[in-house]
């Protein structure tokens, strides 16, 4: 899952859209002080939603294009959809101070955690989100927000190695197969440039937490990455799946869903034996929202069967909705085996959390490795 | 220079009030889009970063001190080298191209000039992305060289690819100012030199080059400055193997949420460019003196 995930689909022309998202980001932001979400002022389960209207900000093309019509048909509430390109962009908007004019935002879990710590999020009212009962228990116990107190997962997944089965003597099983590649695979591997996924392979190979903030451990991770760098073809967050499809590379560190975009049966995905991360893209309600009942109803709608089916069939990410995920595993699992990963396997991944001040050290490592 | 030209250009009858009024848009533009943002960048460079970006107290010199760590100086140096090489190659290709265009009939000159700026009609990112398809190992360049036994070669995700991309992206900005100064050149001077027995190299060195120097310097600056700050090309064609100062600044704002250090890095680049532009200005003054 990317800090700058643009929902590029399988066509390579959409890779350009991804590149645009990755490269040309709008900077906005501001500072904010900490403080946890205070207890919920009770919302009215019988509020007249036809009098409410909400603004939702999501990554482009990450949900059913007809979502507004369908949501209004179902709940009578009005909805406007806004777009953001990256987590950083939306977090900047939400923390700039004043009323951002957004009721519901899609952000990755660790960003939801940070927003909550800044006191910006409304607690989730489970009475107004009954579809929570349809989610896997594992998806309701994520590291950044156990019990869905301020966020509800929309999609979840992990990170691993995406590889060309036909171009390798044997499939990779360990992060070390990519970090210290056999000579024949040198200059035929890619890694993700974005933190924390740049660190992740080395962190796991060395037996550290994906969220480590220990300076000694981070130093070891950096040394491994500096050693790996000359064996890489490069760093690529946006088009790695088309390089795999073209046969230019044989292994790439990849988000599970993106590996599906290669559109080539020889491209496989594996979670290395040392383990990986567990990421989730979530929906949060802003405390500044004036139509919180409609905002909760929207979240409820988005984790319902219809919207979750659209997401998993079109984005090829895993759904936290049990019935939808099981149906997708049966229907899509043959073509995209990682869709069929069980929640138990997925939950073996380490949940990503906000790194706080250590985020700067992570970025420093990224700079040093890329500049070396 | 200002006094001479403005005295020459000024029309009689324009009162001082009108002149003062007419300068308001320009002054407002400078204030809003130049002075205030620059002041903010300078102020930010001495503050501490907030949790979600932005800035907060206390005032600190840490960001400026960090600039002098070898890591950042190396990135700056390699950016200067990349941009310098791109400028050099753009000149190597751009000067003969501009010269060739001036030799065309006026109709064909128009066609040629349109051809020079034609790439600008396509989005910059898409043009850069196209190079990925040309340069990758399974791409046209590598396949073509394989056919004649020289491939496959690795160009994409190298420093050379970044320099190629920069040269390609900004070469029109080299051609156009050189073309403009060649246009102003009196062909009689070249004919006279020829009649007096000066060979082609001598004509180039003593007439063409000095008299088009202002255009050349302008072209070089037009290529060098955007190349130095570019972060799209190093990312797409360098694949993270060739980080430039623009990437570093972008990452401070959009990944590290460290606006103060990003501002300090921006000031470093700005200081470098101010020095370069000052050198250019003094060179231009000198060449004007020769002209007179």
């Amino acid at each position: 899952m990317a800090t700058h995930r643009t929902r590029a689909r399988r066509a390579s022309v959409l890779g350009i859209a991804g590149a645009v998202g990755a490269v040309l980001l709008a900077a906005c932001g501001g500072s904010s002080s900490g403080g946890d979400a205070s207890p919920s002022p009770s919302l009215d389960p019988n509020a007249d939603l036809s009098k409410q209207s909400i603004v939702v900000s999501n990554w482009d093309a990450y949900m059913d294009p007809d979502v507004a019509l369908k949501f209004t048909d179902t709940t009578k509430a009005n909805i406007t959809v806004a777009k953001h390109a990256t987590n950083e962009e939306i977090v900047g908007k939400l923390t700039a101070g004043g009323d951002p004019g957004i009721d519901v935002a899609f952000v990755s879990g660790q960003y939801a955690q940070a927003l909550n710590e800044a006191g910006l999020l409304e607690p989730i009212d489970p009475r107004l989100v009954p579809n929570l009962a349809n989610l896997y228990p594992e998806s309701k116990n994520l590291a950044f927000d156990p019990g869905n107190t301020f966020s509800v997962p929309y999609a979840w997944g992990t990170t691993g190695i995406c590889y060309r089965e036909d171009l390798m003597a044997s499939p990779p099983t360990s992060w070390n197969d990519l970090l210290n590649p056999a000579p024949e695979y040198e200059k035929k591997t890619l890694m993700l440039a974005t933190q924390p996924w740049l660190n992740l392979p080395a962190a796991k190979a060395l037996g550290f937490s994906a969220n480590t903030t220990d300076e000694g451990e981070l130093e070891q991770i950096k040394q491994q990455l500096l050693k790996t760098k000359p064996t890489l073809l490069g760093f690529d967050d946006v088009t790695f799946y088309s390089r795999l499809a073209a046969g230019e590379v044989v292994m790439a560190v990849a988000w599970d869903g993106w590996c599906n975009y290669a559109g080539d049966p020889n491209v496989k995905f594996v979670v290395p034996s040392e383990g990986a991360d567990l990421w989730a893209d979530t929906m949060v309600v802003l405390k500044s929202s004036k139509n919180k009942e409609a905002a909760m109803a929207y979240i409820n709608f988005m984790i319902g069967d219809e919207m979750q089916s659209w997401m998993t069939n079109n984005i090829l990410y895993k759904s936290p909705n049990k019935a939808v995920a099981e149906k997708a595993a049966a229907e899509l699992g043959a073509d995209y085996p990682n869709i069929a990963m069980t929640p138990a396997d997925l939950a073996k991944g380490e949940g990503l959390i906000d790194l706080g001040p250590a985020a700067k050290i992570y970025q420093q490592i990224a700079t040093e490795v890329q500049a070396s | 220079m200002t006094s001479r030209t403005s005295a020459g250009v000024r029309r009689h009858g324009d009162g001082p009030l009108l002149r003062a009024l007419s300068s308001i848009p320009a002054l407002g533009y400078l204030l809003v889009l130049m002075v205030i943002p620059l002041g903010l960048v300078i102020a930010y460079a001495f503050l501490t970063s907030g949790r979600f970006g932005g800035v907060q107290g206390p005032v600190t010199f840490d960001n400026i001190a960090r600039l002098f760590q070898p890591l950042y100086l190396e990135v700056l140096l390699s950016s200067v080298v990349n941009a310098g090489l791109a400028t050099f190659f753009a000149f190597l290709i751009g000067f003969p191209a501009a010269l060739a265009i001036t030799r065309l009939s006026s109709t064909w000159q128009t066609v040629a000039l349109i051809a020079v700026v034609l790439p600008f009609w396509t989005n910059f990112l898409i043009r850069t992305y196209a190079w990925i398809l040309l340069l990758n190992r399974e791409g046209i360049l590598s396949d073509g060289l394989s056919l004649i036994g020289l491939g496959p070669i690795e160009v994409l995700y190298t420093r050379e690819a970044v320099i190629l991309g920069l040269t390609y992206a900004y070469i029109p900005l080299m051609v156009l100012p050189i073309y403009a100064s060649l246009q102003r050149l009196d062909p009689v001077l070249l004919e006279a030199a020829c009649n007096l027995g000066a060979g082609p190299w001598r004509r180039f060195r003593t007439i063409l080059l000095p008299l088009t120097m202002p255009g050349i310097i302008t072209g070089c600056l037009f290529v060098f400055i955007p190349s130095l700050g570019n972060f799209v090309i190093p990312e797409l064609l360098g694949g993270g193997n060739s980080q430039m100062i623009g990437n570093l600044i972008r990452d401070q704002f959009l990944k590290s949420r460290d606006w103060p250090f990003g501002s300090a890095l921006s000031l470093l680049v700005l200081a470098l460019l101010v020095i370069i532009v000052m050198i250019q200005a003094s060179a231009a003054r000198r060449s004007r003196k020769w002209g007179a």
Side-chain angles (χ1 to χ4, degrees):
Chain A
M1 179 215 42
T3 50
H4 50 59
R5 181 123 34 80
T6 302
R7 311 286 158 179
R9 294 308 86 77
R10 279 155 281 184
S12 72
V13 68
L14 284 165
I16 299 175
V20 174
V23 175
L24 287 187
L25 312 173
C28 36
S31 59
S32 187
S33 52
D36 272 32
S38 53
S40 172
S42 60
L43 302 182
D44 177 10
N46 303 314
D48 180 4
L49 295 186
S50 66
K51 295 202 171 69
Q52 298 200 357
S53 103
I54 55 169
V55 178
V56 173
S57 187
N58 194 355
W59 286 279
D60 194 11
Y62 198 20
M63 57 185 168
D64 186 339
D66 296 328
V67 69
L69 276 176
K70 291 178 178 168
F71 175 65
T72 305
D73 269 359
T74 311
T75 65
K76 307 290 173 248
N78 269 311
I79 175 173
T80 308
V81 175
K83 290 169 187 171
H84 56 260
T86 69
N87 277 312
E88 292 288 344
E89 181 189 338
I90 185 67
V91 166
K93 216 181 261 182
L94 298 178
T95 57
D99 181 357
I102 289 169
D103 301 278
V104 179
F106 283 71
V107 289
S108 297
Q110 61 274 37
Y111 289 82
Q113 177 195 350
L115 287 171
N116 184 53
E117 284 168 15
L120 295 170
L121 300 186
E122 176 71 19
I124 297 295
D125 186 337
R127 292 174 306 158
L128 299 182
V129 193
N131 282 337
L132 277 170
N134 301 330
L135 301 191
Y136 283 118
E138 291 88 345
S139 72
K140 293 195 274 187
N141 193 31
L142 297 165
F144 56 86
D145 181 22
N148 301 109
T149 59
F150 54 81
S151 68
V152 174
Y154 175 68
W156 63 338
T158 185
T159 306
I161 299 175
C162 197
Y163 65 99
R164 276 291 291 259
E165 193 179 37
D166 54 330
L167 299 179
M168 294 185 70
S170 61
T173 56
S174 157
W175 286 115
N176 281 311
D177 293 335
L178 189 141
L179 291 167
N180 304 301
E184 63 267 33
Y185 304 137
E186 280 186 15
K187 293 283 173 194
K188 290 187 172 182
T189 56
L190 291 170
M191 286 180 78
L192 297 168
T194 303
Q195 291 289 22
W197 297 279
L198 169 63
N199 277 13
L200 179 75
K204 286 295 171 189
L206 291 162
F208 304 148
S209 160
N211 301 305
T212 180
T213 55
D214 180 279
E215 281 183 28
E217 292 183 0
L218 286 170
E219 180 61 27
Q220 289 185 57
I221 289 169
K222 185 177 89 185
Q223 292 308 329
Q224 173 62 57
L225 292 174
L226 288 171
K227 203 173 124 209
T228 302
K229 164 96 189 273
T231 69
L232 296 174
L233 179 64
F235 297 92
D236 188 341
D237 288 7
V238 195
T239 60
F240 56 83
Y241 55 89
S242 40
R243 321 238 147 274
L244 280 159
E248 229 185 304
V249 296
V250 297
M251 280 185 280
V253 181
W255 298 296
D256 45 3
W258 285 55
C259 195
N260 298 329
Y261 303 153
D264 179 333
N266 287 313
V267 175
K268 304 276 187 207
F269 178 82
V270 63
V271 176
S273 57
E274 299 92 343
D277 66 335
L278 172 62
W279 60 259
D281 285 342
T282 70
M283 296 169 284
V284 296
V285 176
L286 275 294
K287 203 161 241 173
S288 56
S289 166
K290 292 182 184 63
N291 296 299
K292 296 193 176 89
E293 287 87 359
M296 296 290 168
Y298 172 79
I299 289 182
N300 189 55
F301 182 67
M302 293 310 286
I303 58 172
D305 293 357
E306 185 184 4
M307 291 296 118
Q308 284 292 304
S309 298
W310 185 92
M311 186 279 296
T312 202
N313 285 320
N314 289 278
I315 309 291
L316 301 176
Y317 281 6
K318 284 179 271 296
S319 168
N321 177 317
K322 186 166 184 280
V324 170
E326 282 171 357
K327 186 156 173 274
E331 287 173 1
L332 298 169
D335 287 338
Y336 309 109
N338 73 57
I339 291 272
M341 265 178 92
T342 65
D345 276 345
L346 206 49
K348 283 181 196 154
E350 189 181 357
L352 295 175
I353 57 169
D354 183 60
L355 296 166
K360 283 204 179 77
I361 308 177
Y362 274 61
Q363 199 52 43
Q364 173 95 6
I365 292 174
T367 301
E368 284 188 50
V369 170
Q370 296 196 19
S372 72
Chain B
M1 158 212 148
T2 42
S3 62
R4 195 161 54 98
T5 42
S6 60
V9 167
R10 191 191 307 155
R11 297 208 318 274
H12 296 287
D14 286 0
L17 180 69
L18 192 64
R19 256 180 291 133
L21 279 177
S22 66
S23 63
I24 286 177
L27 287 176
Y29 176 90
L30 276 179
L31 184 73
V32 174
L33 295 175
M34 173 92 186
V35 178
I36 294 176
L38 197 58
L40 283 176
V41 171
I42 293 171
Y44 280 11
F46 296 95
L47 289 169
T48 310
S49 60
R51 171 158 189 192
F52 295 108
V55 290
Q56 59 191 32
V59 170
T60 170
F61 289 92
D62 289 355
N63 304 307
I64 305 296
R66 238 175 109 190
L67 290 180
F68 298 97
Q69 288 179 12
L71 171 64
Y72 302 115
L73 292 178
E74 276 165 28
V75 173
L76 181 67
L77 181 70
S78 94
S79 308
V80 169
V81 171
N82 285 358
L85 284 170
T87 309
F88 175 71
F89 290 122
F91 172 72
L92 230 50
I93 301 166
F95 190 91
L99 195 61
I101 293 172
T102 57
R103 300 282 153 89
L104 297 171
S105 72
S106 70
T107 316
W108 282 108
Q109 281 195 20
T110 312
V111 173
L113 288 175
I114 290 174
V116 168
V117 295
L118 202 61
F120 284 139
W121 295 4
T122 309
N123 180 287
F124 174 70
L125 270 169
I126 293 174
R127 278 186 286 141
T128 305
Y129 197 87
W131 278 105
I132 295 182
L133 305 179
L134 294 175
L135 296 180
N136 76 53
R137 195 191 293 127
E138 308 297 323
I140 293 168
L141 179 70
S142 183
D143 282 356
L145 288 173
S146 297
L147 283 180
I148 53 170
L150 294 173
I153 57 160
E154 212 66 76
V155 183
L156 190 63
Y157 298 147
T158 63
R159 181 171 196 166
E160 289 73 20
V162 175
I163 295 167
L164 174 70
L166 292 172
T167 307
Y168 162 78
Y170 298 118
I171 208 164
L173 302 178
M174 178 68 85
V175 173
L176 295 177
I178 295 180
Y179 167 80
S181 40
L182 283 168
Q183 273 286 317
R184 283 197 297 268
L185 185 76
D186 192 344
V188 170
L189 292 172
L190 288 171
E191 278 170 34
C194 194
N195 292 341
L196 294 170
W201 170 241
R202 187 140 186 225
R203 291 201 298 273
F204 173 75
R205 200 168 47 84
T206 59
I207 298 175
L208 221 44
L209 200 59
L211 288 180
T212 53
M213 196 47 92
I216 292 171
I217 293 174
T218 307
C220 287
L221 285 180
F222 280 3
V223 176
F224 183 82
I225 292 173
S227 296
L228 186 67
N230 197 296
F231 58 85
V232 176
I233 289 171
E235 180 150 323
L236 290 183
L237 301 184
N241 285 326
S242 180
Q243 199 164 44
M244 286 177 58
I245 193 85
N247 302 81
L248 211 50
I249 295 173
R250 191 267 321 257
D251 289 352
Q252 298 312 313
F253 284 94
L254 297 178
K255 292 184 179 171
S256 307
R257 301 180 201 164
D258 195 344
W259 295 19
F261 186 56
S263 302
L265 283 166
S266 307
L267 287 182
L268 183 67
V269 175
L270 214 56
L272 185 76
L273 292 179
V274 166
I275 293 170
I276 291 169
V277 172
M278 278 166 65
I279 294 172
Q280 184 260 347
S282 85
R285 252 200 313 279
R286 240 176 295 135
S287 79
R288 244 197 309 279
K289 233 175 274 167
W290 294 337

